[in-house]
Amino acid sequence: MGQRAFLCGNEAVAEGVRLSAPHVIAAYPITPQTVVVERLAEMVEDGSVKAEFMHVESEHSALSASMGASAVGARTFSSTSSQGLVYMAECLHYASGGRFPIVMMNANRSLALPWSIYGDHRDSMSLLDCGWIQVYTEDAQESLDMVLQAYAIAEHPEVLTPVMINLDGFVLTHTYELVDIPAWEQAREFLPPYETVNKLDFDAPKNMAFSSNPGNNLEFKLRQHRGMLRAKELIAETDGRFQAIFGRSYGGLTEAYRCDDAELIVVSVGSVTGTCRTVADELRNEGWKVGVLKIRFMRPFPEEEIIAALRNAKAVAVLDKDISFGYEGTVFTNVNSALSKAGAEILKLNFIGGLGGRDISKDHIREMYRRLQDGLDGIAQENVQYLGLGVAIDERG
Amino acid sequence: MNRPALRKYVNPQFLSDLPEGPCYDAGHLVTVNAGWRTRKPVLDSEACTGCYICYMNCPEGVIFKSDDKVDIDYDFCKGCGICANGCPKDAIVMIREGEA
Ligand code: SF4
Ligand code: SF4
C-alpha cells in the first residue's frame, strides 16, 4: 500500500525520484529547486534511496556527471532552475545527442537581467530546441507521477531521449497539497530496471559519444528527431499503463477542458491552467461558450492534438509566460504554426503575462476571453498583448 | 595484444542501419588515420633495449611489443614525437615525412 502525505512540489518530485530507484543523483542547488536536492540528499543519507549522490560544483558539472553515469547504464536524475539551466545549455545538447535518457526537474524561474528569483517560463522555453522532451506539470501529484512516467518514456529503446519535467517556481515547487505516494512494489511493476546496450562495458566495449563527418551527421540527427517523435505515441501509452496500476491518468500531450463546443479557447501551459478552468466555469455559467486547452508537452509538440482541439473554435488566445524578444511568445509561435498548417481560419491572439513571477489573476484570464470576443465583434486587436501591464505604452517607451 | 583491425565501410542504405545514437562496438575502424603526420618516428632496433617506456608513453597506443622489443603501427601514429623524446636509449628519431 502506498501512503498519503502533505507535500510541496519539490518534495513530491523527490518522492517520485525515490520510487524510480535511481543509481546516481547529481544536482546543484538553486532557488526555487533547492528543496528537491535537500530531500534527495537526506534520502540517500538515511538509505531510503540507494543511489550515489554526486556533489558537484556547478550545473554544468551536474549534467556532465549525469551523462557519465548514464554512459555506464545507470538511471540518473538531476534538477535545476533558471540560470542553472542555461548554464548547462551546452550539456543539454550533449545529453540529447548522446541519447542519454536522463530525467531532470526544472523549477521554472525568470532569467536575468533584471535579476529575479520568481517564476516564468523563459528558462525552459528558450531551450525548446535542445532535444529534450519537455513536460509541464500542474500540481504536486502530477509532478511525482511524471517522474515515474518520464523514466519509462526516456529509457524506451526507440526513444532514448532525456526528459525535462518543468514545475512553476514557487507556485508549484513551494506550495503544499495532499499527495498519494505509490507503494514501492507498484512502482517496480510500472518501471522496470533500465537496460541498454549503449553503455561502457568491459565485456562488450563500445565507442561512445563519437564524432560524425558531414557525410552522416544529418542521418544521426534525423534518428534523434524520430526518437523524439516516437515518444508522442509512447506518452499516451505510458499514461494508460500508469492508470492501470495507479488509477490516475493525465491523458496525452494536451488536456482539453470544455473545448468540444467552445467558441473561445485559452491555451495555457503549467500551473496557471487551474485558474483558467475556474474562469472558464464561471463564464460558462454566464452563458459564454469557452474552453481551456492545456499543453502538457512542448516537445515533442502536440501538433495533431492542438489542431483537433482548436480547429472548430472561433478564436484562440495563447497565454505565454515568456517572450521571444523581437517576435512574440514562443508557445504562440508553435500553436500558430500548427493551426496555420491545418489551414484553420481562426482569430489568434497572444497574451504575454506572469513574467518575473507576476500573478496572473482571474480578471486577467476573463480579459483574454473578452478580447477574443471583441476581436470577433470587429474591434481591432493587437496580435500580442501584455497582461496586467502596470503602465501605458507611450511613444518614447 | 589486439591491434585495431580495419573493416570495410559499408554505406548505410536505410536510416535503421545507423546506430541509435553515437555509440557503436569498439574497435570498428574503417579508415587509417595518419594523414596529418609531418614527422614520423623511426626505430633503431639495435639500440632498443625493450624497456617499453615508449609503449607506455604513446598517447595513441600504436607502439606494440614485437620480439622482446617494440614496433610502430604507422597507420595510426600521429607523429607527436613523445616516444622519441622519452626513449632513454635514443633509439627513436623523428624524421621528416617523405625523407625516409
Ligand atoms: S623507449 Fe626506446 S629503448 Fe625503450 S622500448 Fe622504446 S624504443 Fe626501445
Ligand atoms: S610519434 Fe607519437 S603517436 Fe607516433 S608512435 Fe610516437 S608517441 Fe606514438
Side-chain angles (χ1 to χ4, degrees), chain B residues 2-87:
Chain B
N2 291 331
R3 292 207 290 121
L6 281 189
R7 306 185 208 189
K8 192 174 163 354
Y9 181 68
V10 185
N11 256 321
Q13 297 295 302
F14 301 99
L15 205 51
S16 59
D17 293 339
L18 274 92
E20 192 78 81
C23 179
Y24 202 66
D25 296 345
H28 192 91
L29 292 165
V30 296
T31 178
V32 298
N33 190 13
W36 56 351
R37 192 173 60 221
T38 57
R39 288 153 68 85
K40 77 189 236 186
V42 175
L43 178 76
D44 176 357
S45 294
E46 294 297 309
C48 171
T49 60
C51 71
Y52 300 134
I53 288 177
C54 58
Y55 172 87
M56 298 300 291
N57 279 352
C58 172
E60 296 300 301
V62 300
I63 294 179
F64 55 96
K65 297 178 185 174
S66 164
D67 295 337
D68 291 339
K69 297 193 175 177
V70 292
D71 213 339
I72 298 166
D73 184 349
Y74 289 114
D75 278 349
F76 297 99
C77 163
K78 64 182 176 186
C80 64
I82 289 173
C83 52
N85 208 281
C87 173

Coordinates of all heavy atoms in Angstrom, one line a residue, chain B residues 2-87:
Chain B
N2 N 45.8 -7.2 -29.0 CA 45.0 -6.9 -30.2 C 45.3 -5.6 -30.8 O 45.2 -4.6 -30.0 CB 43.5 -7.0 -29.8 CG 43.1 -8.4 -29.4 OD1 43.7 -9.4 -29.9 ND2 42.2 -8.6 -28.5
R3 N 45.6 -5.5 -32.0 CA 45.8 -4.2 -32.7 C 44.5 -4.0 -33.5 O 43.8 -4.9 -33.9 CB 47.0 -4.2 -33.5 CG 48.3 -4.3 -32.6 CD 49.5 -3.7 -33.2 NE 50.0 -4.5 -34.3 CZ 50.1 -4.1 -35.6 NH1 49.7 -2.8 -35.9 NH2 50.6 -4.9 -36.5
P4 N 44.2 -2.7 -33.7 CA 42.9 -2.4 -34.5 C 42.9 -3.0 -35.8 O 43.9 -2.9 -36.6 CB 42.9 -0.9 -34.5 CG 44.3 -0.4 -34.1 CD 44.9 -1.5 -33.3
A5 N 41.8 -3.6 -36.1 CA 41.6 -4.2 -37.4 C 40.8 -3.3 -38.3 O 39.8 -2.8 -37.8 CB 41.0 -5.6 -37.3
L6 N 41.2 -3.1 -39.5 CA 40.4 -2.3 -40.4 C 39.2 -3.2 -41.0 O 39.4 -4.3 -41.3 CB 41.2 -1.8 -41.6 CG 42.1 -0.6 -41.4 CD1 42.7 -0.2 -42.7 CD2 41.4 0.5 -40.7
R7 N 38.0 -2.6 -41.0 CA 36.9 -3.2 -41.7 C 36.4 -2.3 -42.8 O 36.6 -1.1 -42.7 CB 35.7 -3.4 -40.7 CG 36.1 -4.1 -39.4 CD 34.9 -4.3 -38.6 NE 35.2 -4.4 -37.2 CZ 34.3 -4.7 -36.3 NH1 33.1 -5.1 -36.6 NH2 34.7 -4.8 -35.0
K8 N 35.9 -3.0 -43.8 CA 35.4 -2.2 -44.9 C 34.2 -1.4 -44.5 O 33.3 -1.9 -43.9 CB 35.1 -3.2 -46.1 CG 34.8 -2.5 -47.4 CD 34.6 -3.6 -48.4 CE 33.9 -3.2 -49.7 NZ 33.4 -1.9 -49.9
Y9 N 34.1 -0.1 -44.9 CA 33.0 0.7 -44.6 C 31.9 0.4 -45.5 O 32.0 0.5 -46.7 CB 33.3 2.2 -44.6 CG 32.2 3.1 -44.2 CD1 31.7 3.1 -42.9 CD2 31.6 3.9 -45.2 CE1 30.6 3.9 -42.6 CE2 30.5 4.7 -44.8 CZ 30.0 4.7 -43.5 OH 29.0 5.5 -43.2
V10 N 30.7 0.0 -45.0 CA 29.6 -0.2 -45.8 C 28.6 0.9 -45.7 O 28.2 1.2 -44.6 CB 28.9 -1.6 -45.4 CG1 27.7 -1.9 -46.4 CG2 29.9 -2.7 -45.4
N11 N 28.3 1.6 -46.8 CA 27.4 2.7 -46.7 C 26.0 2.3 -46.2 O 25.5 1.3 -46.8 CB 27.2 3.3 -48.1 CG 28.0 4.6 -48.3 OD1 28.1 5.4 -47.3 ND2 28.6 4.8 -49.4
P12 N 25.5 3.0 -45.2 CA 24.1 2.6 -44.8 C 23.1 2.8 -45.9 O 23.2 3.8 -46.6 CB 23.9 3.5 -43.6 CG 25.0 4.4 -43.5 CD 26.0 4.1 -44.4
Q13 N 22.2 1.9 -46.1 CA 21.1 2.0 -47.1 C 19.9 2.6 -46.5 O 19.1 3.3 -47.1 CB 20.8 0.6 -47.6 CG 21.9 0.0 -48.4 CD 22.3 0.8 -49.6 OE1 21.5 1.0 -50.5 NE2 23.6 1.2 -49.7
F14 N 19.6 2.3 -45.2 CA 18.4 2.7 -44.5 C 18.8 3.4 -43.2 O 19.9 3.2 -42.7 CB 17.5 1.5 -44.2 CG 17.1 0.8 -45.4 CD1 17.8 -0.4 -45.7 CD2 16.0 1.2 -46.2 CE1 17.4 -1.1 -46.9 CE2 15.7 0.5 -47.3 CZ 16.3 -0.7 -47.7
L15 N 17.9 4.3 -42.8 CA 18.1 5.0 -41.5 C 18.4 4.0 -40.4 O 19.2 4.2 -39.5 CB 16.9 5.9 -41.2 CG 17.1 7.1 -40.3 CD1 18.2 8.0 -40.8 CD2 15.8 7.9 -40.2
S16 N 17.7 2.9 -40.4 CA 17.8 1.9 -39.3 C 19.2 1.2 -39.4 O 19.5 0.4 -38.5 CB 16.7 0.9 -39.4 OG 16.7 0.2 -40.7
D17 N 20.0 1.4 -40.5 CA 21.3 0.8 -40.5 C 22.3 1.6 -39.6 O 23.3 1.1 -39.2 CB 21.9 0.8 -41.9 CG 21.2 -0.1 -42.8 OD1 20.5 -1.0 -42.3 OD2 21.2 0.1 -44.1
L18 N 21.9 2.8 -39.2 CA 22.7 3.6 -38.3 C 22.4 3.2 -36.9 O 21.3 2.7 -36.6 CB 22.4 5.1 -38.4 CG 23.1 5.9 -39.5 CD1 22.3 5.9 -40.8 CD2 23.4 7.3 -39.1
P19 N 23.4 3.4 -36.0 CA 23.2 3.0 -34.6 C 22.2 4.0 -34.0 O 22.1 5.2 -34.5 CB 24.5 3.1 -33.9 CG 25.3 4.0 -34.8 CD 24.8 3.8 -36.2
E20 N 21.5 3.6 -32.9 CA 20.6 4.5 -32.2 C 21.5 5.4 -31.3 O 21.8 5.0 -30.2 CB 19.6 3.7 -31.4 CG 18.4 4.5 -30.8 CD 17.4 4.9 -31.8 OE1 16.5 4.0 -32.1 OE2 17.4 6.0 -32.3
G21 N 21.9 6.5 -31.8 CA 22.8 7.4 -31.0 C 24.3 7.1 -31.4 O 24.6 6.1 -32.0
P22 N 25.2 8.1 -31.1 CA 26.6 7.9 -31.5 C 27.3 6.9 -30.5 O 28.0 7.3 -29.7 CB 27.1 9.3 -31.3 CG 26.3 10.0 -30.3 CD 24.9 9.3 -30.4
C23 N 27.0 5.6 -30.7 CA 27.5 4.6 -29.9 C 27.6 3.3 -30.7 O 26.6 2.9 -31.3 CB 26.6 4.4 -28.7 SG 27.1 3.1 -27.6
Y24 N 28.8 2.7 -30.8 CA 29.0 1.5 -31.6 C 30.1 0.7 -31.1 O 30.9 1.1 -30.3 CB 29.3 1.9 -33.1 CG 28.9 0.9 -34.1 CD1 27.6 0.5 -34.3 CD2 29.9 0.2 -34.8 CE1 27.2 -0.4 -35.2 CE2 29.6 -0.8 -35.7 CZ 28.2 -1.1 -35.9 OH 27.9 -2.1 -36.8
D25 N 30.1 -0.6 -31.5 CA 31.1 -1.6 -31.0 C 32.5 -1.0 -31.1 O 32.8 -0.5 -32.2 CB 31.0 -2.9 -31.8 CG 29.7 -3.6 -31.6 OD1 29.0 -3.2 -30.6 OD2 29.4 -4.5 -32.4
A26 N 33.3 -1.1 -30.1 CA 34.6 -0.5 -30.1 C 35.5 -1.3 -31.1 O 35.2 -2.5 -31.4 CB 35.2 -0.6 -28.7
G27 N 36.5 -0.7 -31.6 CA 37.5 -1.4 -32.5 C 37.0 -1.4 -33.9 O 37.5 -2.1 -34.7
H28 N 35.9 -0.7 -34.2 CA 35.3 -0.8 -35.5 C 36.0 0.3 -36.4 O 35.4 1.4 -36.6 CB 33.8 -0.6 -35.5 CG 33.2 -0.9 -36.7 ND1 32.7 -2.2 -37.0 CD2 32.9 -0.2 -37.8 CE1 32.2 -2.2 -38.2 NE2 32.3 -1.0 -38.8
L29 N 37.2 0.1 -36.9 CA 37.9 1.1 -37.6 C 37.7 0.9 -39.1 O 37.8 -0.2 -39.6 CB 39.4 1.1 -37.3 CG 39.7 1.5 -35.9 CD1 41.1 1.1 -35.5 CD2 39.5 3.0 -35.7
V30 N 37.3 2.0 -39.8 CA 37.0 1.8 -41.2 C 38.1 2.6 -42.1 O 38.1 2.5 -43.3 CB 35.6 2.3 -41.6 CG1 34.6 1.4 -40.9 CG2 35.4 3.8 -41.2
T31 N 39.0 3.3 -41.4 CA 39.9 4.1 -42.2 C 41.2 4.2 -41.3 O 41.1 4.3 -40.1 CB 39.4 5.4 -42.6 OG1 40.4 6.1 -43.3 CG2 39.0 6.3 -41.4
V32 N 42.4 4.3 -42.0 CA 43.6 4.6 -41.3 C 43.5 6.1 -40.9 O 42.8 6.9 -41.5 CB 44.9 4.3 -42.1 CG1 44.9 2.8 -42.4 CG2 44.9 5.1 -43.3
N33 N 44.4 6.5 -40.0 CA 44.3 7.9 -39.5 C 45.7 8.4 -39.2 O 46.1 8.4 -38.1 CB 43.4 7.9 -38.2 CG 43.1 9.4 -37.9 OD1 43.3 10.3 -38.6 ND2 42.6 9.6 -36.7
A34 N 46.4 8.7 -40.3 CA 47.8 9.1 -40.1 C 48.2 10.2 -41.1 O 49.3 10.7 -41.1 CB 48.8 7.9 -40.3
G35 N 47.2 10.7 -41.8 CA 47.4 11.7 -42.9 C 47.9 13.0 -42.4 O 48.4 13.8 -43.2
W36 N 47.8 13.3 -41.1 CA 48.2 14.6 -40.6 C 49.6 14.6 -40.1 O 50.1 15.6 -39.5 CB 47.2 15.2 -39.6 CG 47.0 14.3 -38.4 CD1 47.4 13.0 -38.3 CD2 46.3 14.6 -37.2 NE1 47.0 12.5 -37.1 CE2 46.3 13.4 -36.4 CE3 45.6 15.7 -36.7 CZ2 45.7 13.4 -35.2 CZ3 45.0 15.7 -35.5 CH2 45.1 14.5 -34.7
R37 N 50.3 13.5 -40.2 CA 51.7 13.4 -39.7 C 52.7 14.1 -40.6 O 52.7 13.8 -41.8 CB 52.0 11.9 -39.5 CG 53.3 11.6 -38.7 CD 53.5 10.1 -38.5 NE 53.6 9.4 -39.8 CZ 53.1 8.2 -40.1 NH1 52.3 7.6 -39.2 NH2 53.2 7.7 -41.2
T38 N 53.5 15.0 -40.0 CA 54.5 15.6 -40.8 C 55.9 15.0 -40.5 O 56.8 15.1 -41.3 CB 54.6 17.2 -40.5 OG1 54.8 17.3 -39.1 CG2 53.3 17.8 -40.9
R39 N 56.1 14.5 -39.3 CA 57.3 13.8 -39.0 C 57.0 12.4 -38.4 O 56.0 12.2 -37.8 CB 58.1 14.6 -37.9 CG 58.7 15.9 -38.5 CD 58.9 16.9 -37.4 NE 59.9 16.6 -36.4 CZ 61.2 16.8 -36.6 NH1 61.6 17.4 -37.7 NH2 62.0 16.5 -35.6
K40 N 57.8 11.4 -38.8 CA 57.5 10.1 -38.3 C 58.6 9.5 -37.4 O 59.8 9.8 -37.7 CB 57.1 9.2 -39.4 CG 58.3 8.7 -40.3 CD 57.7 8.0 -41.5 CE 58.1 6.5 -41.6 NZ 57.7 5.9 -42.9
P41 N 58.3 8.7 -36.4 CA 59.3 8.1 -35.6 C 59.9 6.9 -36.3 O 59.2 6.1 -36.9 CB 58.5 7.6 -34.4 CG 57.1 7.5 -34.9 CD 56.9 8.3 -36.0
V42 N 61.2 6.9 -36.3 CA 61.9 5.7 -36.9 C 62.7 5.0 -35.8 O 63.5 5.6 -35.0 CB 62.8 6.1 -38.1 CG1 63.6 4.9 -38.6 CG2 61.9 6.7 -39.2
L43 N 62.5 3.7 -35.7 CA 63.1 2.9 -34.6 C 64.4 2.3 -35.1 O 64.5 1.7 -36.1 CB 62.1 1.9 -34.2 CG 62.4 0.9 -33.1 CD1 62.3 1.6 -31.8 CD2 61.5 -0.3 -33.2
D44 N 65.4 2.3 -34.2 CA 66.7 1.6 -34.4 C 66.6 0.4 -33.5 O 66.9 0.5 -32.3 CB 67.8 2.5 -34.1 CG 69.2 1.8 -34.2 OD1 69.2 0.5 -34.4 OD2 70.2 2.4 -34.0
S45 N 66.3 -0.8 -34.0 CA 66.1 -2.0 -33.2 C 67.3 -2.4 -32.5 O 67.3 -3.1 -31.5 CB 65.5 -3.1 -34.1 OG 64.2 -2.8 -34.5
E46 N 68.5 -2.1 -33.1 CA 69.8 -2.5 -32.5 C 69.9 -1.7 -31.2 O 70.3 -2.3 -30.1 CB 70.9 -2.1 -33.4 CG 71.0 -2.9 -34.7 CD 71.2 -4.4 -34.4 OE1 72.1 -4.8 -33.7 OE2 70.4 -5.2 -34.9
A47 N 69.6 -0.4 -31.2 CA 69.7 0.4 -30.0 C 68.7 0.1 -28.9 O 68.9 0.3 -27.7 CB 69.8 1.9 -30.4
C48 N 67.5 -0.3 -29.4 CA 66.4 -0.5 -28.4 C 66.7 -1.7 -27.5 O 67.1 -2.7 -27.9 CB 65.1 -0.8 -29.3 SG 63.7 -1.4 -28.2
T49 N 66.4 -1.4 -26.2 CA 66.6 -2.5 -25.1 C 65.3 -3.2 -24.7 O 65.3 -4.1 -23.9 CB 67.3 -1.9 -23.9 OG1 66.4 -0.9 -23.4 CG2 68.6 -1.3 -24.2
G50 N 64.2 -2.7 -25.3 CA 62.9 -3.3 -24.9 C 62.4 -2.9 -23.5 O 61.8 -3.7 -22.8
C51 N 62.7 -1.7 -23.1 CA 62.2 -1.2 -21.8 C 60.8 -0.9 -21.8 O 60.2 -0.8 -20.7 CB 63.1 0.0 -21.3 SG 62.7 1.5 -22.3
Y52 N 60.2 -0.7 -22.9 CA 58.7 -0.4 -23.1 C 58.3 0.9 -22.5 O 57.1 1.2 -22.3 CB 57.8 -1.5 -22.5 CG 58.1 -2.9 -23.1 CD1 58.3 -4.0 -22.4 CD2 58.2 -3.0 -24.5 CE1 58.5 -5.2 -22.9 CE2 58.4 -4.2 -25.1 CZ 58.6 -5.3 -24.3 OH 58.9 -6.5 -24.9
I53 N 59.2 1.9 -22.3 CA 58.8 3.2 -21.9 C 57.9 3.9 -23.0 O 56.9 4.5 -22.7 CB 60.0 4.1 -21.5 CG1 60.6 3.6 -20.2 CG2 59.7 5.5 -21.4 CD1 61.9 4.3 -19.8
C54 N 58.4 3.7 -24.2 CA 57.6 4.3 -25.3 C 56.3 3.7 -25.5 O 55.3 4.3 -25.8 CB 58.4 4.2 -26.7 SG 58.8 2.5 -27.1
Y55 N 56.2 2.4 -25.2 CA 54.9 1.6 -25.3 C 53.9 2.2 -24.3 O 52.8 2.4 -24.6 CB 55.3 0.2 -25.0 CG 54.1 -0.7 -24.8 CD1 53.5 -1.4 -25.9 CD2 53.6 -1.0 -23.5 CE1 52.5 -2.3 -25.7 CE2 52.6 -1.9 -23.3 CZ 52.0 -2.5 -24.4 OH 51.0 -3.4 -24.2
M56 N 54.5 2.6 -23.1 CA 53.6 3.2 -22.1 C 53.3 4.7 -22.4 O 52.2 5.2 -22.1 CB 54.3 3.2 -20.7 CG 54.5 1.8 -20.2 SD 53.0 0.8 -20.0 CE 52.3 1.7 -18.6
N57 N 54.2 5.4 -23.0 CA 54.1 6.8 -23.3 C 53.2 7.2 -24.5 O 52.6 8.2 -24.5 CB 55.5 7.4 -23.5 CG 56.2 7.7 -22.2 OD1 55.6 7.6 -21.1 ND2 57.5 8.1 -22.3
C58 N 53.2 6.3 -25.5 CA 52.5 6.7 -26.7 C 51.0 7.0 -26.5 O 50.2 6.2 -26.0 CB 52.6 5.6 -27.8 SG 51.5 5.9 -29.2
P59 N 50.6 8.3 -26.7 CA 49.2 8.6 -26.4 C 48.2 8.0 -27.3 O 47.0 7.9 -27.0 CB 49.2 10.2 -26.6 CG 50.3 10.5 -27.5 CD 51.3 9.4 -27.2
E60 N 48.6 7.4 -28.5 CA 47.7 6.8 -29.4 C 47.7 5.3 -29.2 O 46.9 4.6 -29.9 CB 48.1 7.1 -30.8 CG 48.0 8.6 -31.2 CD 46.5 9.1 -31.0 OE1 45.7 8.5 -31.7 OE2 46.3 10.0 -30.2
G61 N 48.6 4.8 -28.4 CA 48.6 3.3 -28.2 C 49.0 2.5 -29.4 O 48.5 1.4 -29.7
V62 N 49.9 3.1 -30.3 CA 50.2 2.5 -31.5 C 51.6 1.8 -31.5 O 52.0 1.3 -32.6 CB 50.1 3.5 -32.7 CG1 48.7 4.0 -32.8 CG2 51.1 4.6 -32.6
I63 N 52.3 1.9 -30.4 CA 53.5 1.1 -30.3 C 53.2 -0.3 -29.7 O 52.4 -0.3 -28.7 CB 54.5 1.9 -29.4 CG1 54.9 3.2 -30.1 CG2 55.8 1.0 -29.1 CD1 55.9 4.0 -29.4
F64 N 53.6 -1.3 -30.3 CA 53.3 -2.6 -29.8 C 54.5 -3.5 -29.6 O 55.6 -3.2 -30.1 CB 52.3 -3.3 -30.8 CG 52.8 -3.4 -32.2 CD1 53.4 -4.6 -32.7 CD2 52.6 -2.3 -33.1 CE1 53.9 -4.6 -34.0 CE2 53.1 -2.4 -34.4 CZ 53.7 -3.6 -34.9
K65 N 54.4 -4.5 -28.8 CA 55.5 -5.4 -28.5 C 55.8 -6.3 -29.6 O 54.8 -6.8 -30.3 CB 55.2 -6.2 -27.2 CG 55.0 -5.3 -26.0 CD 54.6 -6.2 -24.8 CE 54.3 -5.3 -23.6 NZ 53.8 -6.1 -22.4
S66 N 57.1 -6.5 -29.9 CA 57.5 -7.3 -31.0 C 58.8 -8.0 -30.8 O 59.8 -7.2 -30.6 CB 57.5 -6.5 -32.3 OG 58.2 -7.1 -33.4
D67 N 58.9 -9.3 -30.6 CA 60.2 -10.0 -30.4 C 61.0 -9.3 -29.2 O 62.1 -9.0 -29.4 CB 61.1 -10.0 -31.6 CG 60.4 -10.8 -32.7 OD1 59.6 -11.6 -32.4 OD2 60.8 -10.5 -33.9
D68 N 60.4 -9.2 -28.1 CA 61.0 -8.6 -26.9 C 61.4 -7.1 -27.1 O 62.0 -6.5 -26.2 CB 62.3 -9.3 -26.5 CG 62.0 -10.7 -26.0 OD1 60.8 -10.9 -25.5 OD2 62.9 -11.6 -26.0
K69 N 61.1 -6.6 -28.2 CA 61.3 -5.1 -28.4 C 60.0 -4.5 -28.8 O 59.0 -5.0 -28.4 CB 62.4 -4.9 -29.5 CG 63.8 -5.5 -29.0 CD 64.9 -5.1 -29.8 CE 66.2 -5.7 -29.1 NZ 67.4 -5.4 -29.9
V70 N 60.1 -3.4 -29.6 CA 58.8 -2.8 -30.0 C 58.8 -2.5 -31.5 O 59.8 -2.6 -32.2 CB 58.6 -1.4 -29.3 CG1 58.4 -1.6 -27.8 CG2 59.8 -0.5 -29.5
D71 N 57.6 -2.2 -32.0 CA 57.4 -1.7 -33.3 C 56.3 -0.7 -33.3 O 55.5 -0.6 -32.4 CB 57.1 -2.9 -34.2 CG 57.6 -2.7 -35.6 OD1 57.9 -1.5 -36.0 OD2 57.8 -3.7 -36.4
I72 N 56.1 0.0 -34.5 CA 55.2 1.1 -34.5 C 54.2 0.9 -35.6 O 54.6 0.5 -36.7 CB 55.9 2.5 -34.8 CG1 56.9 2.8 -33.6 CG2 55.0 3.6 -34.9 CD1 57.9 3.9 -33.9
D73 N 52.9 1.1 -35.3 CA 51.9 1.0 -36.3 C 51.7 2.4 -37.0 O 51.0 3.2 -36.5 CB 50.6 0.5 -35.6 CG 49.5 0.3 -36.7 OD1 49.6 0.7 -37.8 OD2 48.4 -0.3 -36.3
Y74 N 52.3 2.5 -38.2 CA 52.3 3.8 -38.9 C 50.9 4.2 -39.4 O 50.6 5.3 -39.7 CB 53.3 3.8 -40.0 CG 54.7 3.9 -39.5 CD1 55.6 2.8 -39.7 CD2 55.2 5.0 -38.8 CE1 56.9 2.8 -39.3 CE2 56.5 5.0 -38.3 CZ 57.3 4.0 -38.6 OH 58.6 4.0 -38.1
D75 N 49.9 3.2 -39.4 CA 48.6 3.5 -39.9 C 47.9 4.5 -39.0 O 47.0 5.2 -39.3 CB 47.7 2.3 -40.0 CG 48.0 1.6 -41.3 OD1 48.7 2.1 -42.2 OD2 47.5 0.4 -41.5
F76 N 48.3 4.5 -37.7 CA 47.6 5.3 -36.7 C 48.5 6.2 -35.9 O 48.1 6.9 -35.0 CB 46.8 4.4 -35.8 CG 45.7 3.6 -36.5 CD1 45.9 2.3 -36.9 CD2 44.5 4.3 -36.9 CE1 44.9 1.6 -37.6 CE2 43.6 3.6 -37.6 CZ 43.8 2.3 -37.9
C77 N 49.8 6.2 -36.2 CA 50.8 7.1 -35.5 C 50.5 8.6 -36.0 O 50.5 8.8 -37.1 CB 52.2 6.7 -35.8 SG 53.4 8.0 -35.4
K78 N 50.4 9.5 -35.0 CA 50.1 10.9 -35.4 C 51.4 11.7 -35.4 O 51.3 12.9 -35.7 CB 49.1 11.5 -34.4 CG 49.6 11.7 -33.0 CD 48.5 12.3 -32.2 CE 48.8 12.4 -30.7 NZ 47.7 12.8 -29.9
G79 N 52.6 11.1 -35.1 CA 53.8 11.8 -35.3 C 54.1 12.9 -34.2 O 54.8 13.8 -34.5
C80 N 53.6 12.7 -33.0 CA 53.8 13.7 -32.0 C 55.2 13.7 -31.4 O 55.7 14.7 -30.9 CB 52.8 13.4 -30.8 SG 53.1 11.9 -30.0
G81 N 55.9 12.6 -31.5 CA 57.3 12.5 -31.1 C 57.5 12.3 -29.6 O 58.7 12.3 -29.1
I82 N 56.5 12.0 -28.9 CA 56.6 11.7 -27.4 C 57.4 10.5 -27.2 O 58.3 10.4 -26.3 CB 55.2 11.5 -26.8 CG1 54.5 12.9 -26.8 CG2 55.2 10.9 -25.4 CD1 53.1 12.9 -26.3
C83 N 57.3 9.5 -28.1 CA 58.1 8.2 -27.9 C 59.6 8.5 -28.1 O 60.4 8.1 -27.3 CB 57.7 7.2 -29.0 SG 57.7 7.9 -30.7
A84 N 59.9 9.3 -29.1 CA 61.3 9.7 -29.3 C 61.9 10.5 -28.1 O 63.0 10.2 -27.7 CB 61.5 10.5 -30.6
N85 N 61.1 11.4 -27.6 CA 61.5 12.2 -26.5 C 61.8 11.5 -25.3 O 62.7 11.8 -24.5 CB 60.4 13.3 -26.3 CG 61.0 14.6 -25.7 OD1 61.3 14.6 -24.6 ND2 61.2 15.5 -26.6
G86 N 61.0 10.4 -25.0 CA 61.1 9.7 -23.8 C 62.1 8.5 -23.8 O 62.3 7.8 -22.8
C87 N 62.6 8.1 -25.0 CA 63.4 6.9 -25.1 C 64.8 7.1 -24.4 O 65.5 8.0 -24.8 CB 63.6 6.5 -26.5 SG 64.7 5.1 -26.7

